[in-house]
Amino acid sequence: MGLHRLTSITIGVPNVEETSRYYADFGLQPTGDHSFATVDGGQQLRLVRTPTRRLVEIGIGVDDPDDLDRVAASLARLELAGERTGNRLVTEEPIGGVRAVLDVSERLEQPTIEATPYNGPGRIDRPGTRAPGVLREESVRPRKLGHVVIGSTDQGATQRFFADGLGFKISDSVPGMAAFMRCSTDHHNVLVTSAPLNFLHHTAWQVEDIDEIGRGATAMLQEHPERHVWGLGRHHIGSNFFWYLKDPAGNFTEYYSDLDCIVDDVLWKPEVFEGARGLFNWGPPPPPSFLEPEDLAALMTGAHAPR
């Protein structure tokens, strides 16, 4: 696969300053101009001012110029335009108008972190000491941007753009509702779901383990319980642990860990899921506001107000 990772995203919000403070609290490192970096991925988020919240741009890394040529040819077959400039190709998703920027860039090589030791029946991996998760005191810092979930009024067309146009691979799907697509070894980097309007549902940020998810969410909620959306739980599709929070503009953000990785396409069999397993394996049931965010009606009528 010539595609190899999400490089960055740009999110438009009406309340840039307030939303910037949220992402700093979330653990992203401010780099100036309302931009933020992760520990391993570098600068991966930028906030810009827009009348309503939306995903403005998604960045995708490719290995070499030949990959850009292949994407340009695929877009042409779909009768979609792409502007090529040197080692960059810019195009636009035809339904929601999200700009996709493909750049020749280095692959992300994350440093190996020693596995967290856990005791279990007949297995003492952590003798004579407390669990690392209860001893950590430093703030939680996301390692990288993992995936983006968008709602589309034409799920099929948006899926074709990413899969047939850009070259994403489909890992799993929910019939008529959603496609989990990857541009890296992660189970999914983009999820497109059917929706009554085009909008950004959530962004997901990798942390080391389930303790970092719990610690991060607990810190975020200590003075702002209104940020809570859904968690703690474990998804079935992708297998990852999760906890969802909400930024002041209404976008959901996810701390996640232990996502499925697909390093050999031959060994992975895409499956079709229906019912609850399309959403989660265990944890509290998703609240109605996760399935249909509270501001959707306002977004549809253009009367959105930041929360």
Side-chain angles (χ1 to χ4, degrees):
M1 179 188 289
L3 312 181
H4 57 77
R5 67 181 174 110
L6 293 186
T7 54
S8 63
I9 53 172
T10 299
I11 300 175
V13 296
N15 48 347
V16 175
E17 288 76 16
E18 182 185 12
T19 306
S20 290
R21 289 192 293 271
Y22 171 93
Y23 284 99
D25 290 347
F26 190 75
L28 301 182
Q29 180 64 42
T31 57
D33 193 29
H34 304 295
S35 296
F36 300 85
T38 59
V39 173
D40 297 329
Q43 186 168 304
Q44 294 203 280
L45 171 65
R46 183 181 177 217
L47 300 177
V48 296
R49 196 176 309 278
T50 53
T52 61
R53 67 179 184 89
R54 61 184 295 264
L55 180 62
V56 174
E57 180 179 294
I58 183 169
I60 300 158
V62 305
D63 284 323
D64 55 54
D66 288 344
D67 297 316
L68 298 180
D69 293 338
R70 283 190 288 271
V71 172
S74 297
L75 290 171
R77 285 192 290 271
L78 296 177
E79 299 183 342
L80 296 174
E83 181 181 348
R84 176 74 179 274
T85 306
N87 287 331
R88 168 172 288 192
L89 174 66
V90 179
T91 184
E92 185 174 288
E93 189 275 318
I95 306 303
V98 175
R99 186 167 60 247
V101 179
L102 289 78
D103 282 299
V104 175
S105 59
E106 294 183 356
R107 289 182 174 245
L108 176 62
E109 298 292 340
Q110 292 187 282
T112 299
I113 297 176
E114 185 176 349
T116 304
Y118 292 102
N119 293 333
R123 186 186 79 249
I124 303 176
D125 293 339
R126 195 189 70 249
T129 183
R130 301 187 193 278
V134 305
L135 299 176
R136 297 170 187 164
E137 295 182 353
E138 68 279 6
S139 298
V140 171
R141 293 284 311 281
R143 307 295 304 196
K144 70 172 184 178
L145 168 66
H147 56 267
V148 176
V149 176
I150 56 177
S152 172
T153 56
D154 189 336
Q155 193 272 341
T158 302
Q159 177 178 321
R160 284 191 296 275
F161 170 78
F162 282 100
D164 300 338
L166 302 187
F168 281 60
K169 296 182 179 180
I170 297 175
S171 301
D172 290 306
S173 60
V174 178
M177 285 295 296
F180 294 75
M181 297 179 286
R182 67 187 186 276
C183 64
S184 71
T185 56
D186 288 346
H187 176 273
H188 57 282
N189 300 108
V190 169
L191 166 60
V192 179
T193 183
S194 181
L197 79 161
N198 306 302
F199 76 105
L200 172 62
H201 186 275
H202 76 263
T203 59
W205 306 85
Q206 182 195 58
V207 294
E208 286 87 340
D209 56 25
I210 190 171
D211 281 300
E212 294 302 271
I213 293 176
R215 292 179 62 243
T218 297
M220 289 289 285
L221 298 174
Q222 188 170 7
E223 296 182 6
H224 296 277
E226 74 281 359
R227 291 171 170 173
H228 174 72
V229 177
W230 183 29
L232 172 72
R234 188 168 190 134
H235 287 302
H236 191 88
I237 302 178
S239 302
N240 50 298
F241 296 109
F242 66 83
W243 198 319
Y244 293 91
L245 305 161
K246 184 170 68 172
D247 76 19
N251 305 296
F252 299 154
T253 56
E254 175 189 5
Y255 287 122
Y256 80 90
S257 68
D258 196 27
L259 182 74
D260 291 335
C261 287
I262 303 172
V263 296
D264 187 336
D265 293 339
V266 176
L267 299 179
W268 183 266
K269 180 182 177 181
E271 295 186 59
V272 175
F273 294 91
E274 297 185 84
R277 283 199 166 182
L279 287 169
F280 70 120
N281 185 282
W282 59 258
S289 62
F290 180 81
L291 302 174
E292 187 173 320
E294 296 171 350
D295 64 348
L296 284 195
L299 287 172
M300 292 177 71
T301 60
H304 175 78
R307 285 180 168 79

